[in-house]
Amino acid sequence: MSSVSYYISNLLEKMTSTDKDFRFMATNDLMLELQKDSIKLDEDSERKVVTMLLKLLEDKNGEVQNLAVKCLAPLVSKVKEPQVEVMVDTLCSNMMSDKEPLRDISSMGLKTVIAELPLTSTGLTLTVGVCKKITSQLIGAMGKQEDVSVQLEALDILSDMLGRLSGALVSFHSALLSSLLPQLTSSRMAVRKRSILALGHLVPCCSPALFSQLTEHLTNELAKAPPVSMARTYIQCLATVSRQGGHRVGEHLEKLIPMVLKFTDVEDDELREYCFQAFEAFIRSCPKEMSPHVATVTKLCLKFMTFDPNYNYDDEEEEEDSMDVEEGLEEESDDEYSDDDDMSWKVRRSSIKCLESLIATRRDLLLSFFSSVCPALLARFKEREENVRADVFSAFSSLLRQTRGGTSLQGNMRPGGEEPALTLLKTQVPLIVKALHRQLKEKSIRSRQGCFSLLSELSHTAPGALETHIPALIPGIVFSLTDRSSSSTMRIDALSFLHVLLLSHPPEAFQPHMQVLLPPVVSCVEDSFYKITSEALLVVLQLVRVMRPQGPSAGGGFDPKPFVREVFSVTLKRLKATDIDQEVKERAISCMGHMVCHLGDHLGAELQGVLAIFLERLKNEITRLTAVRTLTLVSASLLKIDLSSILPETLSVLGSFLRKNERVLKLGTLACLTSIIMHQAANIKPAALEPVLSELPGLVDESDMHVSQVSVSLLSVMARSCPSSLNRISLSVLPCVFRLVLSPLLQGAALSSILDLLQALVLSNTSNMGYSQLLKSLTDPFHLPSSSSSSSSPLIHRQSYLSVSRCVAALSSSCPKETPSTVNGLLQEVKNPGSPESARVLALLCLGEVGRSGSLGGRKEVLGVILEAISSTNEEVRTAASCALGSMAVGSLNDYLPFLLTEISTQPRRQYLLLNSLKEVISACPASSLSPHVESIWSLLFQHCECPEEGTRNLVAECLGKLTLVNAAQLLPRLKQQLRAGSPLARSTVVTAVKFTIVDHPAPIDALLKDCIGDFLQTLQDDDLNVRRVSLVMFNSAAHNKPSLIRGLLATVLPHLYRETQIRKDLIREVEMGPFKHTVDDGLDVRKAAFECMYTLLDSCMEGLDVLLFLDHVEEGLKDHYDIRMLTFLMLARLASLCPAAVLQRLDRLIEPLKATCTTKVKAGSVKQEFEKQEELRRSAMRAVAALLAVPEVERSPSMADFANQIRTNADMASIYQSVQGGEGGGIGPTESMDMS
C-alpha cells in the first residue's frame, strides 16, 4: 500500500469516530490533501473516499457536513467517471429526500460538483455523461408539485448547470423547455421566478427552432388575456429571454411589441415595470429592428416617467416659490412623503432606464432627443424618490456623453462652427443649473453625488458653459465640503467636481469667490484621510493659477496677497512630511511648484527653503520625476525665480538622470534642462554643464528619434544661451548629430531640430564649428568613391540626401555672404564628370534647397547645369535635377516658371521629370504667388490629361488637384465640366485630381467640395472599369480624410460600392503562357478598391451603415481572392468589437469560410510563396477568430463552440491561435471563451 493510500485510509477510519471533533479534523485533513495537485488515488481509495464523504453529508454535525461538501469540489477532478456518477446519483436521490437538512446539503453538493465539471476536450465526455444523469433526475424533481422546496432546489441547480454547461446539454434542451414552461403557471411566485431564470440560461445556446417555440408559447399565452399575476410572469420571462437571446429576438419583434404595448394600459405598477424592462431588452438586443417602434416607446417612456398618482409636485413648487430656498428645503425634508404600498416609483424607474437605453444605442437620434427627451428629464430632476432620481441623473449623463461622443466623431462636420447638439445643450444649461443648485444643499448624500457627477459630465461636454452660473454652484460645493454629516466620498466628489470646474472655466470666473472657496479647500488639505488631501491639493493647485494667471489671458485686477500665507503654510506642511502617501507627496510638490511659479514674489525668505526641499525630492528615487517636472515649471516662470542657490547641484543630478533607462524620466530631464538653460543662463557657469554634455552623445541616436530631437534642441539652446560651454562638442556630440543626419528615419520635428542647431552653431562663432567645417562634415560621406561602398561605408539612403540638402540650405541662409561661393562649388560638383554619382545628386538637391529661399535669383548658369543634368543618362541624377528645378522655381517663380511651362510643352521626352518639377512648385508655393500663373498652368495640364502613360496622368492629376486648391471657387466647377466632356482617360485624371483636393485638415475648399462631390462620385456608375476604380480610390480618400464630405451621400453611394464587390465572370479571362494556362481577373483591382473603401467606412462612417447588409458583402469577400480575404478578415475583427450583436446574428454564415481558410492545406508540390501566402492567410483568419471569441456571447453559438473545440484539439491550429494571441504555453483562449459561466 502506498503512503498516500495508507494516510487516506487512516483519515477514513477517523471519520467513523463517535467524536465529532475527530470527524471534523479528519475531514479537514482530507480536504487539504485533495487540494494538492500531486495526489493520485488508486481505484479502491477513490471508492472509499467517495462513499465516506457521501455518508458524512448525513452527519449529525453541521460543520462536518459543510466540510464534506467542500471536499467534493477537488474530488471531482481526482476520481474517475464511475465515481463521479455515483456521487451524482446519491446527491440527486438525497435531494428528493423527505428530510429538509439532507435535501439542502445535497443540493449544495450538486452545485459544487457542477461548478467543478471540466470544460476541456479531454473531460468533455465526463461532463456530458454527468449532465445527462443530473438533468433527467431534475426534470423528474420539477414534476413533484406536492413539494415546492424540492422544485425550487431543482430549478436552482438547473439554472447553475445551464449557466455553465448549456452547450453540453443540447440534446436535453427540448425536454428541459417542455418541463420548464408548465412551471410558469405555478401558484408559487418563487417557482415562477426561478423558472424564468432557468429559461434565461437555456436561451443563448438553444437552437433557433426552440427559441421560436419559446417566444410563440409566450405570445400565445399573452394573447389569451391572462390574469394580471400571470401576465407579469410572461412579460418578465419575455424581458429575460430578450436580454439573453440578444439579436435572435429581432425576427419576433413585430409580434411582441403590440402585445407588450397593450399591457402598459393595464392598471398594475409591477406589470408596467416588466413591460418597460422588456422594451429596454428589445432596444439593447436589436436596436436596428426596433427603429420603427422608437417613437412609440419614447412617447410611452415620457408618459410614464412622470407617473406618480399619489403625490402632487405642484404644491411643493408653490411652497418653494413663496419662501426662502433654505426654508423650502427644510420644509421638504421634514414633510417628506412616504407610502410603503406605493409601487409607482418602479414604473418611473423602469421607463427612465428604458429611455437611457434608447439614448445609449441611438446616437443618430441625438438632435430629436434634445427636443423631446431632454426637457422631460430636466423636469424630473425634482423626483422625490432617491433611487429614481439617481436614474434620471444617469440618463441625462448618458445624453451628455453621447453629445460629447458625437462632437469628437464628427468634429469636422461644420468648419469653424460647433455641433448642433452642443448648441442645443448650451441653451439648456440655465435650466440644468436651476434644477440642480437647490439639490446641492440637500441632506441626501446620494442626490448630491448624482448632481456633482452630472455637472462634471456637463463641464467635460461643454467646457465654459457654466461660467455665468458659478455663483449659484459655489454655495453647494462649500456646503458639501463643510457639512459635518458628509462622508469622505462626498467630499472627494465635491473636490473632484471643483477641480473639473476650475480646469474648464476661465480664472476670472472664480476670483470673486476666492474668500468663500479657499478656507474649506484648505481644511480638506489638512484632513487625515489621504484621498481627501490628495484631491484637495489638486484643487489648491488650480486655485493658485486662479489667483494670478500667467499667459496672454492673464488679467491684473485681482490681488492674491491675502490668500498666499494660508495656502502656503498648509502646502508646506504636506511638502515637508515624509511619512505620507506617495500620491500626496507628488501632488504637494506639484502644488508648491505652481505656488513658486505664480506667486514666488510673495514668498520672500521662505522661497530658498522651498527650493532646497525641491532639490531633496529630486534626489529621491520615488519623487524625482515629479520634482523634475516642477523645476521645469519654476525655471520658466514669468517671475524669473532665482535658482542660483540650487543650480550647480541640480544640473549634476539632472545629468545623472540622462543615464537612466526610464524613458519618461529622460524626456522630462531634457525638457527641464532646456528650460533651465533658456531662462537661467546668467547663473550657469560653463563647467556646470559638463555632467550634462558628457551624457548627450548616447542620447542622439536613430533608435529613439524623439529623445534625439529633444537632445538636439537642448544643444541648440546651449549654443544660443551658453555658447562657451560648447567648445568640446565637436569631438563628442557633433559626430553623433552628423550620423543622425544620414539616418533614413530622420524627418519632421527631428530634422527641424538639427537645422535649428546648425544655424545656432554657425551664429555662435565658436571655434571648430564655423560654416566651412560644418559644411565639410555634412558633405564628406557623399564624396567617398562608390567602390568603397563596403561594410565600413554603408550605402546612403535617399532620405539622407534630402536631409543633408536641407542642412546645407539652412547653413547657407544663416551666412548669406558664403552663399555665392557655396553655389559655385555645387555647380562645379555637378559639372565635374569625375565626381561620384552621390556627390552630384547631393549637389543638385542642395542647389534646389538653396534656391528655394530665392538666393539664386535667375542665374542662367544654374539653369543650364540643371537642364544638362535632366538629360543625363543616370536616372538618380535626372530625378535630383527635376526636384532641384522645382525647388528653385519655388524661390524665384517669375524667373523659372515660364521656362518650365515652355519646356513641358516642347520636350515630350523629359515631360515626366518636368511635370514632377511643376508638382513641387504647385505644392510649395503660396496661393498669392501662383494666382497670376494659374491659367497658363491649367491649360497646359489639360493638354496632357489624356496621356496614355498612367504615371504621367497621375502626376497631371496631382498637379490639377493641388492647383484647384489655389482658387477653388473658380477651378472646381471647371474640373466638373471636364468630367462630362472628356474621354475615359480624361475622366480618370479628373477624378484622381479631386482626390488630391481632399486634405486631412480644414480647408476653404471643403464647403464647395461638399456641394459637388456627389457629381464626381457619379463616376462610380461609369462604363469604364478604370474610371470606376479611381472613383473608389477618391471615395476612400474622402472617407478617410474628410468623412463629413460623404456622410450625407452614403445612401446613394453604398449600392454602387457594394455592386463593385461582386466577382464578375465576364472580366475573368484565360491567358496561355507557353504550355500553361493562367487565369487573369481584370475586375480584381476594382474589387480591392471597393473593399478598401468598406474598411475605411468602418472607422469614419459607422453610424451611416446598415451593418447586416455590410456583413453580407464581407461574407462574400471571405471567399474571394487572397488580397481581398486578408482585408475582410481585418474587417471582421473590427466589426466584432464595433457591433458584436450584428456579427452574432450572421455568425453561423461567417464561420464556414473562416473554418475553410484555417483548415486548407497547400498542395505538396507548390512553390515556397504559395506556402507563405497560405500561412499568412491562416494567421489572418485566426486573428479574426480570436476577435470573435472575445465577443461575450459568442460561445453560445453551437457552430462557434464546435469550431473553438476543433481549434483546441488540432495541434497545428492551436499553435497558430496561440501565436496570434501572443501567448506561450498554458491553456488556449477558446477554452476560456467556452466557459459558459
Side-chain angles (χ1 to χ4, degrees), residues 486 561 925 1040 1162:
S486 286
K561 197 171 181 184
C925 276
H1040 181 73
V1162 184

Side-chain angles (χ1 to χ4, degrees), residues 437-450:
H437 86 278
R438 196 182 292 128
Q439 295 190 31
L440 286 173
K441 286 193 169 184
E442 274 192 9
K443 285 180 183 171
S444 161
I445 286 179
R446 192 170 172 195
S447 281
R448 280 189 275 157
Q449 284 178 318

Side-chain angles (χ1 to χ4, degrees), residues 148-263:
V148 172
S149 52
V150 172
Q151 272 186 306
L152 290 174
E153 288 297 351
L155 286 164
D156 227 8
I157 294 163
L158 195 60
S159 285
D160 274 17
M161 199 159 67
L162 282 168
R164 186 166 185 267
L165 307 163
S166 186
L169 295 169
V170 174
S171 57
F172 274 95
H173 281 179
S174 184
L176 284 169
L177 185 64
S178 307
S179 54
L180 281 170
L181 289 177
Q183 305 303 326
L184 293 177
T185 57
S186 168
S187 56
R188 296 291 294 267
M189 173 67 83
V191 172
R192 298 206 298 265
K193 285 204 167 174
R194 290 194 196 186
S195 302
I196 289 170
L197 203 61
L199 282 168
H201 287 303
L202 172 70
V203 160
C205 265
C206 73
S207 65
L210 219 58
F211 186 81
S212 299
Q213 189 187 330
L214 171 56
T215 46
E216 274 166 29
H217 175 83
L218 293 174
T219 48
N220 292 340
E221 291 298 323
L222 285 168
K224 294 173 187 171
V228 169
S229 63
M230 290 312 302
R232 280 185 207 154
T233 302
Y234 290 130
I235 298 277
Q236 195 180 7
C237 185
L238 194 56
T240 305
V241 165
S242 302
R243 255 193 305 277
Q244 299 293 336
H247 62 271
R248 292 206 267 184
V249 187
E251 57 202 73
H252 303 281
L253 270 188
E254 291 309 315
K255 284 187 285 181
L256 295 174
I257 297 271
M259 211 152 268
V260 180
L261 280 172
K262 188 176 73 180
F263 282 101

Side-chain angles (χ1 to χ4, degrees), residues 434 438 485 653 836 1213:
K434 186 181 175 186
R438 196 182 292 128
S485 63
V653 174
M1213 287 203 281

Side-chain angles (χ1 to χ4, degrees), residues 333-350:
S333 53
D334 289 344
D335 302 337
E336 207 163 73
Y337 177 85
S338 170
D339 183 0
D340 292 340
D341 298 330
D342 180 23
M343 292 284 116
S344 64
W345 66 272
K346 289 187 172 183
V347 180
R348 298 199 298 281
R349 187 178 190 185
S350 57

Side-chain angles (χ1 to χ4, degrees), residues 578-632:
T578 51
D579 56 343
I580 52 172
D581 186 79
Q582 167 78 4
E583 192 176 46
V584 178
K585 272 186 198 172
E586 289 178 357
R587 289 184 177 176
I589 295 167
S590 295
C591 186
M592 187 56 87
H594 276 79
M595 281 204 72
V596 173
C597 174
H598 290 259
L599 305 164
D601 50 345
H602 287 281
L603 302 183
E606 306 268 17
L607 180 60
Q608 292 311 313
V610 170
L611 293 178
I613 296 173
F614 284 163
L615 183 57
E616 260 177 63
R617 299 290 175 266
L618 190 68
K619 294 174 186 173
N620 183 324
E621 189 176 347
I622 294 171
T623 53
R624 65 190 180 191
L625 183 58
T626 311
V628 164
R629 287 170 178 162
T630 301
L631 283 170
T632 310

Side-chain angles (χ1 to χ4, degrees), residues 527-714:
D527 197 275
S528 56
F529 184 37
Y530 79 95
K531 284 198 170 175
I532 292 179
T533 306
S534 171
E535 205 66 45
L537 282 166
L538 274 185
V539 174
V540 169
L541 185 151
Q542 293 302 327
L543 287 173
V544 166
R545 291 163 75 167
V546 166
M547 289 183 205
R548 189 195 278 172
Q550 290 188 352
S553 62
F558 182 76
D559 179 21
K561 197 171 181 184
F563 310 105
V564 173
R565 181 57 40 200
E566 187 182 4
V567 176
F568 178 75
S569 55
V570 289
T571 312
L572 186 64
K573 184 179 168 188
R574 291 296 182 188
L575 181 67
K576 284 180 175 174
T578 51
D579 56 343
I580 52 172
D581 186 79
Q582 167 78 4
E583 192 176 46
V584 178
K585 272 186 198 172
E586 289 178 357
R587 289 184 177 176
I589 295 167
S590 295
C591 186
M592 187 56 87
H594 276 79
M595 281 204 72
V596 173
C597 174
H598 290 259
L599 305 164
D601 50 345
H602 287 281
L603 302 183
E606 306 268 17
L607 180 60
Q608 292 311 313
V610 170
L611 293 178
I613 296 173
F614 284 163
L615 183 57
E616 260 177 63
R617 299 290 175 266
L618 190 68
K619 294 174 186 173
N620 183 324
E621 189 176 347
I622 294 171
T623 53
R624 65 190 180 191
L625 183 58
T626 311
V628 164
R629 287 170 178 162
T630 301
L631 283 170
T632 310
L633 183 79
V634 169
S635 62
S637 168
L638 298 178
L639 302 176
K640 304 215 175 340
I641 306 295
D642 181 14
L643 299 179
S644 52
S645 60
I646 60 163
L647 261 186
E649 205 173 343
T650 298
L651 289 169
S652 169
V653 174
L654 289 173
S656 72
F657 289 169
L658 297 177
R659 276 197 297 275
K660 307 289 180 196
N661 279 335
E662 196 183 337
R663 188 170 182 269
V664 180
L665 178 66
K666 235 184 264 186
L667 287 167
T669 303
L670 288 166
C672 184
L673 286 164
T674 306
S675 180
I676 288 174
I677 294 166
M678 198 183 286
H679 298 99
Q680 306 277 330
N683 301 324
I684 301 174
K685 294 177 179 149
L689 289 173
E690 280 300 316
V692 175
L693 281 167
S694 63
E695 299 300 335
L696 284 178
L699 300 181
V700 180
D701 185 78
E702 67 174 17
S703 61
D704 192 331
M705 276 296 177
H706 186 51
V707 170
S708 300
Q709 176 206 324
V710 183
S711 306
V712 172
S713 299
L714 173 61

Side-chain angles (χ1 to χ4, degrees), residues 99-117:
K99 300 172 189 169
E100 193 176 339
L102 183 58
R103 268 206 319 260
D104 292 347
I105 205 79
S106 298
S107 63
M108 277 171 63
L110 265 178
K111 286 177 187 173
T112 307
V113 170
I114 288 165
E116 292 300 318
L117 286 173

